[in-house]
Amino acid sequence: MGMMEMVLKHPEELPALLKLQLASMQATRFLPPEPHWAFCYKMLQNVSRSFAIVIHQLGPELRNAICVFYLVLRGLDTVEDDMAIPIDTKVPILKAFHEHIYDTSWHFICGEKDYKDLMTGFHHVSTAFLSLAKGYQEVISEMTQRMGNGMAKFIEVEVETIADYDEYCHYVAGIVGLGLTRLFYAAGLEDFALDVLSNSMGLFLQKTNIIRDYLEDINEIPAPRMFWPREIWGRYGTALEVFKEEDRSEDALRCLNDMITNALKHGPECLQYMSALRDPAIFRFCAIPQVMAIGTLALCYNNIHVFRGVVKIRRGLTAKIMEGTKTMSDVYAAFDDFSGILAAKIDKSDPSAVLTQRYVDEIRTACKARFLNKTKRKTFSIESKTGHEICLVLAILLLALIMILIVWR
């Protein structure tokens, strides 16, 4: 959907979209004077623009620690993802990556575009890492070691069972949740007890990404890297590739819905984790990706386009989520809205329908039991709205452009 078409169909999202654009511009212009920190924040903006916007809302000390943590893990992930690296070269690097971050002379060129730039200038990340307080360094080093070892394990091991799937997602995302929680604790801002729930936060996000990225991953050259567990997809086909075929749409959708159902089981623990956060900036940092995830699952559920092209939440809705997620009540409302959208798409003849409904009911029950305002309100919508006056929209667009130009100057 083009920008103009999106605005015409969803003009109510334009104010949030404008605010997101302004925040992105401010994040882009933020470059500390030190060369290593300037490199880190420039790379952060290049490899994850939305993450950069949220991280800038954190206090300086924690912001720096999380920026470095993210870039270290992004570097590790770049090594894992580069299929041109021989396995006998890749595995030792993954296992020793936590040691390389202490060496300001180390770099390993791999990846493409911005990721290649990150790896080429990785000595800047190491320099920034060594400038952090010891407590932050210890957390980042430990989590990098655990993730690197886990990635190395799954380089030559197929994800066969759901247990394998959960283990892989723990290594590449659950450990991120754990590391972030310990960084929050090291900063003296959150409770260490959140450790026990942090894995679900990571798994919910990672499984959503794995589901959404089916087509991109299976078309990867020179060879696909897929993490859909055979224990799930094997119920519906002889190979993951068959779900791309148009005459296998019914099987593809049933497999997709089963995968989404597996992800939904983490929802209640994610809500529990977020409800325990105390710092407002940390809360938004954690909550916005989770709301994006439940929205993405609602969009992907029973959606054959997952196997045909790119399925993503439109930019306007992303902006509305980022602007509207400020309190736990906002999160409960969003989870309830998106779960309701997903529930409306459940086909009772689907093999996983009963379990899907159960997990949706658990999420919605948790949300409704904790609404500060007991009156349910519709917060988010995936569908397009029509019947809005185009002249009004164009006037708003013109005003938005003027505001951007004023701020930019």
Side-chain angles (χ1 to χ4, degrees), residues 101-385:
I101 61 179
Y102 286 95
D103 183 357
T104 56
S105 66
W106 182 86
H107 68 279
F108 182 79
I109 300 176
C110 61
E112 297 179 354
K113 300 179 180 178
D114 292 323
Y115 302 100
K116 184 175 182 179
D117 292 340
L118 170 64
M119 297 306 295
T120 301
F122 200 81
H123 60 283
H124 290 301
V125 180
S126 296
T127 301
F129 168 77
L130 292 173
S131 73
L132 298 174
K134 196 73 173 178
Y136 294 135
Q137 289 184 30
E138 291 173 353
V139 171
I140 294 172
S141 177
E142 179 187 349
M143 298 304 146
T144 303
Q145 181 179 19
R146 291 169 65 173
M147 182 181 288
N149 286 334
M151 286 179 168
K153 175 180 178 178
F154 279 93
I155 288 295
E156 297 182 283
V157 175
E158 293 289 330
V159 177
E160 296 284 344
T161 67
I162 293 174
D164 293 337
Y165 183 44
D166 285 344
E167 184 181 9
Y168 172 76
C169 290
H170 165 72
Y171 283 132
V172 299
I175 285 175
V176 179
L178 178 61
L180 288 171
T181 301
R182 294 195 177 176
L183 289 175
F184 302 156
Y185 176 75
L189 298 172
E190 298 294 348
D191 196 328
F192 189 80
L194 285 170
D195 259 23
V196 298
L197 298 169
S198 59
N199 190 57
S200 287
M201 293 283 284
L203 264 62
F204 192 62
L205 299 182
Q206 183 64 22
K207 289 183 177 183
T208 299
N209 291 339
I210 287 173
I211 292 165
R212 180 199 63 198
D213 294 340
Y214 166 88
L215 194 64
E216 178 184 341
D217 291 343
I218 208 160
N219 288 336
E220 189 170 324
I221 298 173
R225 291 200 65 208
M226 299 298 294
F227 299 99
W228 291 40
R230 183 186 295 270
E231 187 177 343
I232 291 180
W233 65 257
R235 299 166 185 164
Y236 310 100
T238 56
L240 264 171
E241 290 82 359
V242 304
F243 300 129
K244 294 192 296 181
E245 301 170 8
E246 291 192 12
D247 62 348
R248 298 298 297 271
S249 294
E250 182 177 349
D251 291 331
L253 287 176
R254 290 185 171 188
C255 180
L256 172 65
N257 294 343
D258 205 340
M259 288 287 292
I260 290 174
T261 299
N262 175 272
L264 288 172
K265 69 182 180 181
H266 302 292
E269 284 200 348
C270 292
L271 291 170
Q272 190 178 347
Y273 179 100
M274 289 183 283
S275 68
L277 294 171
R278 299 176 303 202
D279 183 86
I282 289 176
F283 170 79
R284 280 177 48 78
F285 174 82
C286 294
I288 289 172
Q290 299 293 323
V291 173
M292 291 288 293
I294 189 68
T296 300
L297 293 177
L299 180 62
C300 289
Y301 188 83
N302 214 40
N303 186 347
I304 196 61
H305 292 295
V306 171
F307 303 96
R308 305 285 187 265
V310 179
V311 177
K312 288 185 178 181
I313 291 179
R314 62 183 180 274
R315 289 180 62 188
L317 183 53
T318 296
K320 189 175 179 182
I321 289 171
M322 296 184 72
E323 169 64 19
T325 305
K326 294 183 173 67
T327 69
M328 196 60 208
S329 290
D330 297 329
V331 172
Y332 287 136
F335 264 68
D336 189 50
D337 282 346
F338 286 128
S339 296
I341 291 170
L342 191 154
K345 297 162 69 175
I346 296 175
D347 181 347
K348 292 183 179 180
S349 67
D350 192 293
S352 58
V354 173
L355 192 56
T356 310
Q357 189 66 58
R358 173 188 156 189
Y359 289 144
V360 166
D361 288 345
E362 288 179 2
I363 291 172
R364 302 194 78 186
T365 297
C367 292
K368 290 179 179 179
R370 294 171 176 84
F371 273 138
L372 295 180
N373 181 355
K374 295 297 181 179
T375 302
K376 177 69 174 67
R377 59 183 177 83
K378 191 68 175 177
T379 307
F380 299 110
S381 172
I382 289 176
E383 301 301 324
S384 299
K385 297 180 179 179

